[in-house]
Amino acid sequence: MCIPQEKYPNKTELQNISSNYTLFYRIFQFIGLLLIFSVFFWIINYRGGFSLTKAKLIPNWHPIFMTFVLIYLFANAILHYRSFRDTKLNLKNQHAILFGSMIIILAVAGITTLDSKRFRPLFTNPAIPNLYTLHSWLGIIAIAMLLIQFACGFWIYLYPTVAVRYRKILLPYHVFFGILSFVLAIVSGGLGFCEKMIFSLYREYEQFPAEGIIGNCIGLLCIFYGILVVYMVTKPEFKRCHIPEYQPLI
């Protein structure tokens, strides 16, 4: 829902909207970076850190990559149109580049967790099988939807021969499924942190160890971050409108 052309906000109202969005955007960036730092802190201090050669530590790349890409970068890509002012073509290109970069990093993140035959038997006996938990299923669905969104969006909004009327018709669905993909990513992330605590701590998890509390807090932070992003992307006042004056939101 956008402000009708005959009811464009005056300069004072635009400044208030801009100020409110700037505040939310700063909070959004702070929480996103805090989430990434928290995952990094947890892995460094409780999971042994990262490595490209030590088999036991290679899967530790998965949560940090997924948090950075499927949550933080995804959120920034969703809010890109609302956060910056540029020509429509430039914004489309930047939006596509963000998603293209996400797909490349996601491929690396997937490799670090799926190669169980090579890595997992070295530190779990028997090896934990792949793709049987709800976390895995939701993650796969979210990634599949992201890939479909990227392919469809690239064809519909960047391919020059597609008629404008079709772009307008499909835009609400593109937005809806983009938000839905992000929500699935958030839910999958929250389940993933819980799953990691259960697999790593097992019975000790019941005793409220420090790592378990940190893991729960990371999960809550992830969910709160998702709620904030959905609020910002669905709030009508924050929607990018074609207004007479050039007025960036931040």
Side-chain angles (χ1 to χ4, degrees), residues 134-162:
L134 183 60
H135 160 67
S136 300
W137 289 17
L138 289 178
I140 291 172
I141 293 172
I143 293 173
M145 290 179 64
L146 188 151
L147 292 173
I148 294 171
Q149 280 279 98
F150 177 76
C152 294
F154 187 87
W155 175 63
I156 295 169
Y157 298 105
L158 291 177
Y159 198 68
T161 60
V162 177

Side-chain angles (χ1 to χ4, degrees), residues 19-35:
S19 177
N20 290 337
Y21 186 86
T22 300
L23 175 62
F24 275 98
Y25 187 82
R26 288 173 178 171
I27 295 172
F28 152 76
Q29 290 291 354
F30 173 77
I31 295 176
L33 294 174
L34 177 62
L35 178 61

Side-chain angles (χ1 to χ4, degrees), residues 63-234:
I64 193 72
F65 273 152
M66 287 301 185
T67 301
F68 176 66
V69 179
L70 208 53
I71 295 177
Y72 180 72
L73 280 187
F74 200 166
N76 277 273
I78 289 175
L79 290 171
H80 190 73
Y81 279 96
R82 299 200 171 196
S83 303
F84 301 97
R85 287 282 176 179
D86 204 335
T87 64
K88 184 174 288 188
L89 180 59
N90 284 342
L91 287 173
K92 287 180 181 179
N93 289 333
Q94 294 159 13
H95 189 67
I97 290 171
L98 279 172
F99 275 99
S101 302
M102 288 168 54
I103 291 170
I104 294 172
I105 304 175
L106 279 174
V108 178
I111 292 172
T112 63
T113 193
L114 289 177
D115 200 354
S116 62
K117 291 184 179 179
R118 181 180 176 188
F119 299 127
R120 295 187 184 183
L122 297 178
F123 56 96
T124 58
N125 188 20
I128 300 173
N130 287 317
L131 309 179
Y132 75 96
T133 63
L134 183 60
H135 160 67
S136 300
W137 289 17
L138 289 178
I140 291 172
I141 293 172
I143 293 173
M145 290 179 64
L146 188 151
L147 292 173
I148 294 171
Q149 280 279 98
F150 177 76
C152 294
F154 187 87
W155 175 63
I156 295 169
Y157 298 105
L158 291 177
Y159 198 68
T161 60
V162 177
V164 174
R165 66 178 182 275
Y166 294 130
R167 295 177 179 178
K168 290 182 178 179
I169 292 172
L170 293 171
L171 181 59
Y173 300 98
H174 183 68
V175 172
F176 171 78
F177 283 106
I179 296 174
L180 178 59
S181 301
F182 177 73
V183 170
L184 288 176
I186 290 292
V187 175
S188 177
L191 289 173
F193 291 122
C194 180
E195 178 183 297
K196 183 66 175 178
M197 293 299 108
I198 294 173
F199 287 165
S200 300
L201 300 176
Y202 194 49
R203 288 293 184 184
E204 186 183 349
Y205 196 20
E206 301 173 358
Q207 308 302 320
F208 292 93
E211 182 180 0
I213 294 173
I214 290 174
N216 289 348
C217 290
I218 292 174
L220 288 175
L221 189 64
C222 175
I223 293 171
F224 178 75
Y225 186 66
I227 293 172
L228 177 63
V229 172
V230 172
Y231 173 78
M232 292 175 67
V233 82
T234 57

